[in-house]
Amino acid sequence: MSTLPAAFFPATTPPTYSRADFGADFQWGVSTAAYQTEGSWNAEGKGFSIWDEFVRGRRAIKGRETADVASDFYRRWPTDLDLMQQLGIPNFRFSAAWARVLPAGTGPVNTKGLDFYDRLVDGCLARGIAPWLTVYHWDLPQALQQQGGWTNRAVVGWLCDYAQVLAHRLGDRVQHWMVLNEPMVFTGAGHLLGIHAPGRRSLGAFLAATHHATLAQAEGGRALRAALPSSAQIGTTFSCSYLTPWRPGLPRDERSTRRADAILNRLFVEPALGLGYPTADAPLLNRLARYVQPDDEARLPFSFDFWGVQNYTREAVRHSPYVPLLWANLVGAARRGVPYTQMGWEVYPESLYHMLRQFGAYPHAPRLLVTENGAAFPDVVTPEGRVPDEARQAYLRACIGQVLRARREGVPVDGYFAWSFTDNFEWAEGYEPRFGLVHIDYATQQRTVKDSGRWYQRLLAGEEVATAANGGLSISQATV
Ligand code: FCB
């Protein structure tokens, strides 16, 4: 148990704010992803994805859970969208499941699968909610994995073709598109650490996947541009964490922090800007050269209309002689004695401010939107049917205050999407970590709006004057 330290909310944070402070054009929303919410994993012609496969592997997922049902969004979307409308949420970011649309990854379209997204888009619009579509949120068709998946250069063309299928069908109604969700995570966790699908643990697989994902990010942007009306806004999303040396001032921790920053925060961003891979700070990335073909350098940049910034925590980095090539590892929040969430992630809202500053500082950076931000805490439903999740509420309030702080300092950030609308399947962590503004009882699929969801509703209605400072609330569920 811990009360948030005062330093957690720096003096420059606006002490209070309301929706009006962000201006009328600021985009507010919530985010989800297909595999984490839809369930119906083999319904109506859907093909298998690498996640359908991975969750069936031995001990891949905590509690041996799968997302076969998840939050049952495939069947419950009309009532979920009703709830979103009641909460006054104007923008909804979700992803399409590639294997629902193209069961074999390429080739014939599964009409019923594509029809689902068509109805979902219409359902959003009918309720006054703007759909924001992520083309790829980690669920590669298993049929493509059998051909090497992200390690096969052909994935660039596969992704472009799939993106165009979506664009041709939905492009008359979907204005906002995102090519990839967090390439650093699906390449790193999926190909180097083996903790996400497809469960590879190979430096070569990671490097190949990294180069192909970087190419696919840009080529996917071009494929969308070619297929969409000129008014479409095309973006992509990046994971990021503000990094600080574990022992500030110690040169080897400082160098390790720069190396980790190049890999965790810059790797996919800089090639998109035409800056190439950040090899100077992370020489290990020179090994990408093996996968780079003559024309690739010219193909890596793409002028996105926006970048989605996705931030949950900060990390402390220390030099390590035991991690070859990277020579760094992360010192966990528990070890550092700071408050952390159910994911073990440090509660540190200022990280979002620092990352917005870092991304906004690139010359020619496009506009930024926070396309994911949130926190997992264990929730309790009271007998009266309330979920008093003050820790999550305090976290969101502080983070949104940090967005305003960056915006007031001139960072071109003009959107904020909370992760997530409802509780859902948190990848390798299963159902235990709860990120939703809406609670789900998985035994009954009953939805209960959490206090944080009510708070977000009041904020969006312009009724809430939020204190960005702690305001006496403690993150009582955060553990120290
Ligand atoms: C991000 C993912 C998202 C969700 C959150 C908690 O890395 O994009 O799907 O799992 O983390």
Side-chain angles (χ1 to χ4, degrees):
M1 302 279 260
S2 104
T3 301
L4 290 178
F8 196 71
F9 301 100
T12 44
T13 306
T16 61
Y17 62 84
S18 68
R19 179 175 178 164
D21 291 312
F22 291 80
D25 293 336
F26 193 86
Q27 310 273 4
W28 297 93
V30 286
S31 286
T32 67
Y35 186 69
Q36 295 177 274
T37 59
E38 287 178 1
S40 298
W41 71 292
N42 57 2
E44 299 190 312
K46 177 179 168 293
F48 290 1
S49 76
I50 54 174
W51 272 94
D52 293 318
E53 187 73 19
F54 188 66
V55 297
R56 286 172 170 72
R58 274 172 62 78
R59 288 194 282 276
I61 311 297
K62 268 198 193 142
R64 307 201 70 159
E65 289 164 329
T66 74
D68 291 1
V69 178
S71 16
D72 201 20
F73 182 73
Y74 189 70
R75 299 190 307 150
R76 291 171 194 266
W77 67 267
T79 43
D80 279 353
L81 290 188
D82 288 346
L83 189 54
M84 201 179 287
Q85 183 186 32
Q86 284 159 26
L87 294 179
I89 295 166
N91 295 290
F92 176 31
R93 170 177 177 249
F94 56 90
S95 74
W98 189 336
R100 217 181 265 297
V101 176
L102 298 164
T106 57
V109 168
N110 173 36
T111 314
K112 287 190 171 158
L114 193 50
D115 286 351
F116 167 70
Y117 295 108
D118 198 88
R119 285 195 304 275
L120 181 57
V121 164
D122 282 347
C124 288
L125 296 173
R127 290 168 180 81
I129 298 168
W132 293 57
L133 183 62
T134 311
V135 171
Y136 182 73
H137 198 128
W138 303 357
D139 46 358
L140 190 78
Q142 179 62 18
L144 299 181
Q145 185 60 35
Q146 276 151 6
Q147 299 168 65
W150 284 99
T151 67
N152 183 342
R153 191 179 165 90
V155 72
V156 178
W158 299 333
L159 180 97
C160 290
D161 292 348
Y162 158 55
Q164 290 199 331
V165 170
L166 293 176
H168 286 136
R169 181 69 181 270
L170 307 172
D172 56 340
R173 285 154 292 152
V174 177
Q175 272 285 326
H176 295 92
W177 295 73
M178 284 144 286
V179 180
L180 299 182
N181 183 71
E182 299 188 352
M184 185 61 234
V185 178
F186 73 76
T187 56
H191 295 81
L192 187 62
L193 305 177
I195 54 174
H196 280 188
R200 300 284 312 269
R201 292 187 67 168
S202 145
L203 181 62
F206 165 69
L207 293 169
T210 293
H211 182 58
H212 300 146
T214 314
L215 259 185
Q217 172 180 274
E219 292 288 343
R222 276 184 281 278
L224 287 174
R225 190 81 87 209
L228 289 170
S230 58
S231 60
Q233 297 290 297
I234 299 170
T236 197
T237 74
F238 303 110
S239 53
C240 59
S241 295
Y242 179 54
L243 303 179
T244 46
W246 189 46
R247 294 159 292 194
L250 193 72
R252 54 182 200 278
D253 279 6
E254 304 268 356
R255 277 195 304 275
S256 293
T257 303
R258 270 200 302 282
R259 214 158 33 240
D261 185 54
I263 292 171
L264 296 178
N265 295 325
R266 299 166 51 200
L267 177 53
F268 293 91
V269 176
E270 296 189 5
L273 286 173
L275 302 172
Y277 291 117
T279 48
D281 284 320
L284 133 76
L285 298 176
N286 284 315
R287 295 175 179 229
L288 285 165
R290 192 177 313 162
Y291 306 96
V292 178
Q293 292 188 7
D295 292 339
D296 286 1
E297 209 174 312
R299 294 167 67 197
L300 292 176
F302 179 72
S303 65
F304 286 104
D305 298 309
F306 67 94
W307 287 345
V309 176
Q310 311 199 154
N311 175 267
Y312 291 90
T313 190
R314 81 154 157 190
E315 301 284 0
V317 186
R318 70 178 296 188
H319 172 81
S320 166
Y322 305 113
V323 185
L325 300 168
L326 187 57
W327 312 119
N329 63 22
L330 305 178
V331 184
R335 169 110 192 263
R336 287 183 280 131
V338 292
Y340 57 90
T341 71
Q342 259 183 319
M343 298 293 283
W345 296 343
E346 182 185 2
V347 176
Y348 194 76
E350 261 198 279
S351 177
L352 182 51
Y353 163 80
H354 289 294
M355 294 319 299
L356 289 169
R357 292 286 309 226
Q358 184 169 330
F359 283 8
Y362 284 109
H364 312 298
R367 68 195 179 102
L368 309 176
L369 289 102
V370 178
T371 41
E372 284 185 23
N373 169 248
F377 294 109
D379 290 320
V380 181
V381 186
T382 66
E384 303 74 48
R386 259 189 65 209
V387 182
D389 61 336
E390 68 267 14
R392 184 176 296 101
Q393 186 179 317
Y395 182 73
L396 295 176
R397 219 178 43 197
C399 287
I400 294 171
Q402 296 292 337
V403 175
L404 185 56
R405 177 182 171 200
R407 194 170 151 87
R408 286 198 168 145
E409 291 175 18
V411 176
V413 50
D414 51 19
Y416 178 89
F417 287 62
W419 182 272
S420 180
F421 180 49
T422 63
D423 291 335
N424 56 50
F425 179 78
E426 179 45 40
W427 309 110
E429 305 302 317
Y431 292 99
E432 198 180 48
R434 291 178 175 273
F435 278 93
L437 299 177
V438 175
H439 180 273
I440 291 187
D441 176 341
Y442 290 108
T444 60
Q445 289 292 341
Q446 163 129 13
R447 274 69 171 145
T448 305
V449 180
K450 301 179 192 178
D451 283 3
S452 59
R454 296 280 173 220
W455 175 83
Y456 200 50
Q457 176 183 28
R458 290 196 303 277
L459 181 74
L460 298 192
E463 289 162 8
E464 183 73 22
V465 179
T467 45
N470 191 347
L473 263 185
S474 67
I475 295 221
S476 55
Q477 290 155 315
T479 326
V480 165

